[in-house]
């Protein structure tokens, strides 16, 4: 939680709240009729309002191309909230919240639309006393970012009046490669300074992702072991049973590496491997994260051939139901080379992680959905119980991100009996078992943070660019004439054999989810 | 909140010396379908008749959100016959993931006659090791209090609202706290009642421009229901402590007088009306009124500001509910050291 120097605190907040307070503002959502707004943003804002977390002055303006009245827009949103909110929608609460919502039809390229937006903002700011604070949310396709940002700047909507702020939240994908990310950063930075730019990665809003730092730095038992002396290797898996779900247009151009590894998985890697920050300020944490991405060993074309496996699913079955191959999905090219699975062997070249391989895998149409990080510790010395064989398992600490968030630790125990048999047992902590209260959705936390000026859980420019620099080298090797093979795996399996071999040649195996 | 709750309300009678063994059997019977969960030891002490049944019902609901080893004690120190009885039971509910039954265990004790004094000895030997120990003491404290208790307790929960003599009771509590080297956190459910109202009042002043108003409060109106004057005084104490007001002599039943750092007078009027514990709190700062209303029976607060009699903002916010389960759930969720509570008490102690 940050508090700028000289900032006067509200004494009545003492002891009531342990996080920063969201400030009154107008949230302007570009792409207001889209899926993200309906499924995530408005339900998140409603839940925050129902929990009494939003400032009463808050206003929401939705902007999209389709013509509709404020009432039509509100009715659509009410239906969406009823469908997607984590809590039951109450009419009196919705009606109170909906008063703050309005709609403006506008083409994103239309300069007049931004003039009208400016007038509307002024009117709302006077009526609702938002203090002139503005939060622009770009819930649109990435190709729309530049015109929106440029028009916001041209209409001076990016410049807050004195004592107020103007911030922008940008959804992923943030660029498609390093060059486009830099260009996008340039365009963003012409409209908004870095400290007002919030690049969202909803994985960081998840309770378990935030808990990684607590687990590591609030427990004295783990950190002394968290290094090359005691850790054998780390695995990060993001598996989903789903296929494209109507996202072919985007996914065909992206693939698993850009869609998941560049952002979500590298963010998780940073949290699990970063050094302790000096304090909990956003930049202190992000400074440490960016050091990790910078220390990731860049892969040469030869290394890509040996340390990266890409694959695409073929016909198969999920939970007993037949599913078609990726190339047979709607709007996918029949000769598509897009990878739906990728497995990587990474190295972080720093003191702590020298010689500790990090294995990552991400894929669609895998047998089971789940995202987790597993830290595999080195085996106990072979002098006592495993003197005659090395059959003893490693201690494994598993951080489950989703679903069924929790932490488990595998350890060795003697099987009761007169013989001396040792088996692995699991100590298992489930959030849902210990804490009855449901966690807020990731977007709730992230929206609150953006309103209160806390950028800790958002990606910084250098993090994003460093991540693309790493990813681009792999993509580049894949475009070469001698590019490594694109494997196939039947839907409903754990990827191609080559992914297993990636670990097998190091004497290791993927953890069974 | 979970989908279903199953409660073995009556419990199974057990011998005192065999409680742990019988609990183990209970879990073995449940097999893999039941998962025992426990984050705290939660002991409830009451001397009210039939409290065992009432508190078992309360614990069944609390444990849906706060997995605990519950120890429910019904004591009758005035009974002529010495008696100790114990029961074990489990409160189970289906987890959010919907796959497993998550269960909290309850050990219940009835202590009668002189054996009621054996409370620490009999009861606290059944704490789940390494978990924090919360003691919810229902009713008034005894004078003197058993010093042995405080070596165990992490958080002492009580409700000062029905206390006849706040000062005397608070002195007992604070003595006990001193004996425990200030380790025990004091949790007053009468303070918990104010959480949502305090949040609603606090949020008015988050904006820098609104913050200025805190220096110009002239008048505060608090409406409370019968029996909740102490809740209203505590609310006034919170404002006084946080805003640096000093109590001025001459308070009566309905008017409290304070002066701020600049020596300006602030008048707090208390009005009694049937309804919620605190049904209204208005802060008047010049021509602006910051108002929180809690309509009778409503679970939402109506929160708004008026300038020169014209409504400027209006919002609905969650309201605290005044039943033991809600108050305890709120208290268990919040945690923290409650230093603000102690400051609020000190600001108005002589009026409570």
């Amino acid at each position: 939680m940050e508090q700028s120097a000289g900032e006067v605190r509200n004494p009545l907040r003492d002891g009531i709240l342990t996080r920063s307070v969201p400030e009154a503002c107008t949230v302007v959502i570009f792409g207001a009729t889209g899926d993200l707004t309906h499924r995530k943003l408005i339900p998140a804002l409603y839940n925050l309002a129902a929990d009494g977390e939003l400032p009463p002055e808050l206003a929401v303006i939705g902007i999209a191309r389709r013509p509709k009245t404020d009432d039509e827009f509100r009715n659509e949103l009410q239906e969406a909230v009823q469908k997607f909110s984590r809590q039951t929608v109450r009419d009196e609460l919705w009606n109170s919240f909906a008063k703050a919502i309005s709609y403006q039809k506008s083409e994103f390229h239309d300069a007049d639309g931004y003039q009208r937006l400016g007038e509307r903002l002024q009117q709302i700011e006077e009526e609702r006393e938002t203090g002139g604070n503005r939060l622009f949310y770009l819930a649109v396709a990435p190709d729309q970012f530049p015109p929106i940002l440029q028009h916001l700047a041209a209409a001076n909507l990016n410049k807050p009046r004195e004592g107020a702020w103007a911030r922008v939240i940008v959804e992923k994908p943030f660029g498609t490669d390093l060059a486009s990310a830099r260009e996008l950063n340039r365009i963003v930075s012409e409209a908004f300074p870095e400290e007002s730019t919030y690049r969202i990665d909803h994985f960081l809003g998840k309770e378990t992702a935030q808990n990684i730092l607590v687990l590591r730095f609030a427990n004295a038992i783990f950190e002394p072991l968290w290094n090359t002396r005691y850790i054998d290797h780390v695995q990060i898996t993001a598996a989903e049973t789903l296929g494209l779900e109507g996202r072919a247009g985007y996914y065909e151009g992206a693939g698993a590496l850009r869609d998941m590894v560049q952002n979500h998985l590298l963010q998780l890697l940073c949290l699990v491997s970063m050094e302790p920050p000096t304090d909990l300020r956003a930049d202190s944490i992000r400074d440490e994260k960016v050091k990790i991405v910078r220390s990731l060993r860049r892969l040469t074309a030869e290394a890509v051939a040996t340390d990266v496996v890409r694959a695409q699913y073929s016909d198969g079955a999920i939970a007993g139901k037949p599913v078609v191959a990726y190339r047979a999905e709607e709007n996918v090219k029949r000769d598509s080379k897009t990878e739906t699975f990728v497995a990587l062997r990474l190295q972080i070249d720093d003191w702590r992680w020298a010689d500790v391989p990090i294995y990552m895998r991400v894929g669609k149409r895998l047998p089971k959905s789940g995202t987790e990080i597993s830290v595999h510790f080195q085996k106990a010395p072979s002098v006592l119980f495993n003197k005659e064989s090395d059959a003893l398992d490693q201690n494994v600490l598993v951080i489950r991100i989703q679903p069924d968030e929790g932490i488990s630790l595998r350890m060795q125990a003697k099987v009761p009996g007169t013989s001396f048999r040792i088996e692995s047992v699991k100590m298992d902590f489930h959030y849902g078992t210990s804490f009855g209260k449901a966690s807020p959705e990731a977007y709730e936390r992230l929206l609150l943070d953006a309103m209160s000026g806390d950028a800790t859980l958002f990606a910084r420019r250098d993090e994003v660019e460093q991540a693309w620099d790493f990813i681009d080298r792999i993509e580049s090797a894949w475009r070469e004439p001698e590019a490594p093979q694109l494997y196939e795996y039947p839907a409903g399996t754990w990827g191609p054999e080559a992914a297993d071999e990636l670990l097998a040649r190091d004497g290791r195996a993927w953890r069974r989810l | 909140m979970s989908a279903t709750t199953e409660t073995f309300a009556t419990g199974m009678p057990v011998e005192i010396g065999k409680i742990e063994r019988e609990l183990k059997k209970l879990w073995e019977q449940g097999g893999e379908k039941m998962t025992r969960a426990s984050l705290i030891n939660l002991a409830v002490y009451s001397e009210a008749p039939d409290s065992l049944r009432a508190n078992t019902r309360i614990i069944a609901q609390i444990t849906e959100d706060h997995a605990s080893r519950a120890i429910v004690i019904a004591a009758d120190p005035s009974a002529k016959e010495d008696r100790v009885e114990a029961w074990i039971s489990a409160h189970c509910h289906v987890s959010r993931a919907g796959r497993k039954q998550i269960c909290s265990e309850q050990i219940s004790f009835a202590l009668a006659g002189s054996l009621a004094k054996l409370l620490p000895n009999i009861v606290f030997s059944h704490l789940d090791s390494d978990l924090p120990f919360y003691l919810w003491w229902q009713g008034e404290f005894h004078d003197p209090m058993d010093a042995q208790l405080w070596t165990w307790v992490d958080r002492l929960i009580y409700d000062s609202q029905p206390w006849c003599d706040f000062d005397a009771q608070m002195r007992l509590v604070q003595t006990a706290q001193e004996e425990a080297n200030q380790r025990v956190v004091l949790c007053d459910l009468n303070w918990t009642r104010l959480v949502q109202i305090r949040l609603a009042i606090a949020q008015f002043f988050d904006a820098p421009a609104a913050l200025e108003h805190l220096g110009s409060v002239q008048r505060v109106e608090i409406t409370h229901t019968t029996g909740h004057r102490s809740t209203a005084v505590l609310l006034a104490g919170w404002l006084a402590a946080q805003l640096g007001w000093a109590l001025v002599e001459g308070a009566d039943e309905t008017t409290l007088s304070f002066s701020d750092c600049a020596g300006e007078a602030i008048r707090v009027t208390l009005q009694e009306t049937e309804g919620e514990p605190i049904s209204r709190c208005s802060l008047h700062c010049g021509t602006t009124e910051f108002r929180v209303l809690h309509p009778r029976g409503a679970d939402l607060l109506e929160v708004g500001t008026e300038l020169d009699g014209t409504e400027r903002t209006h919002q609905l916010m969650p309201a605290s509910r005044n039943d033991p389960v809600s108050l305890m759930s709120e208290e268990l969720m919040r945690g923290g050291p409650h230093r603000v509570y102690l400051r609020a008490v000190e600001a108005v102690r002589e009026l409570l």
Side-chain angles (χ1 to χ4, degrees), chain B residues 166 230 233-238 240 247 256 258 343-352:
Chain B
F166 182 92
S230 65
V233 172
L234 208 48
L235 181 59
W238 169 63
L247 192 62
L256 319 179
F258 296 89
R343 285 207 295 268
V345 166
E346 285 313 309
V348 287
R349 185 161 181 153
E350 59 199 82
L351 305 174
L352 283 163

Side-chain angles (χ1 to χ4, degrees), chain A residues 111-127:
Chain A
D112 287 346
Y114 293 85
Q115 292 304 327
R116 281 187 283 121
L117 174 62
E119 289 158 19
R120 192 151 193 174
L121 273 168
Q122 264 193 341
Q123 185 193 344
I124 286 173
E125 283 163 4
E126 280 165 28
E127 280 172 12

Side-chain angles (χ1 to χ4, degrees), chain A residues 33-268:
Chain A
T33 52
D35 218 32
L36 181 69
T37 305
H38 283 68
R39 280 173 179 266
K40 297 291 180 187
L41 301 184
I42 296 296
L45 286 169
Y46 170 78
N47 286 331
L48 291 170
D51 290 346
E53 303 265 22
L54 288 183
E57 302 87 355
L58 182 108
V60 179
I61 303 177
I63 297 185
R65 299 182 182 110
R66 293 178 213 158
K68 61 184 71 188
T69 64
D70 286 348
D71 281 340
E72 284 168 342
F73 183 52
R74 288 177 191 138
N75 290 339
E76 280 176 16
L77 295 183
Q78 186 175 13
E79 276 178 38
V81 171
Q82 277 161 348
K83 206 163 161 190
F84 300 113
S85 168
R86 68 177 162 84
Q87 51 184 308
T88 313
V89 178
R90 292 179 53 176
D91 285 345
E92 65 269 45
L93 273 172
W94 171 260
N95 293 337
S96 169
F97 172 63
K99 280 182 201 158
I101 301 175
S102 59
Y103 181 79
Q104 178 180 319
K105 176 201 170 302
S106 191
E107 295 290 334
F108 300 143
H109 293 76
D110 174 18
D112 287 346
Y114 293 85
Q115 292 304 327
R116 281 187 283 121
L117 174 62
E119 289 158 19
R120 192 151 193 174
L121 273 168
Q122 264 193 341
Q123 185 193 344
I124 286 173
E125 283 163 4
E126 280 165 28
E127 280 172 12
R128 297 189 67 90
E129 298 179 1
T130 61
N133 297 324
R134 297 162 182 182
L135 180 62
F136 298 100
Y137 200 119
L138 308 193
V140 293
D143 60 342
Q144 302 295 334
F145 295 169
I148 293 173
L149 291 163
Q150 283 157 352
H151 280 293
L152 284 174
N156 272 330
L157 299 178
N158 58 332
K159 296 200 176 58
R161 69 178 195 222
E162 203 180 331
W165 48 257
R167 297 174 186 145
V168 65
I169 300 182
V170 187
E171 268 287 338
K172 77 153 198 168
F174 202 77
T176 52
D177 54 19
L178 178 58
S180 61
R182 278 188 177 146
E183 174 60 9
L184 194 51
N185 276 329
R186 187 189 63 74
I187 293 167
V188 174
S189 67
E190 282 177 0
F192 293 91
E194 179 61 26
E195 65 268 22
S196 302
T197 304
Y198 291 70
R199 297 174 191 83
I200 207 162
D201 184 337
H202 73 271
F203 256 53
L204 292 181
K206 289 182 183 293
E207 204 79 51
T208 340
Q210 294 166 48
N211 197 36
I212 295 172
L213 294 187
V214 177
L215 174 82
R216 289 189 55 200
F217 302 130
N219 294 292
I221 58 168
F222 295 119
E223 200 49 27
L225 308 180
W226 214 262
N227 57 53
T228 185
R229 284 190 68 188
Y230 300 102
I231 292 180
D232 178 68
H233 73 282
V234 176
Q235 296 183 16
I236 303 178
T237 298
E240 52 183 338
T241 55
L242 295 176
L244 283 180
E245 308 299 306
R247 290 172 72 221
Y250 159 72
Y251 200 84
E252 265 286 85
L257 189 69
R258 288 186 175 121
D259 183 47
M260 290 291 288
V261 179
Q262 186 274 339
N263 37 67
H264 303 326
L265 267 65
L266 287 185
Q267 287 289 346
L268 292 181

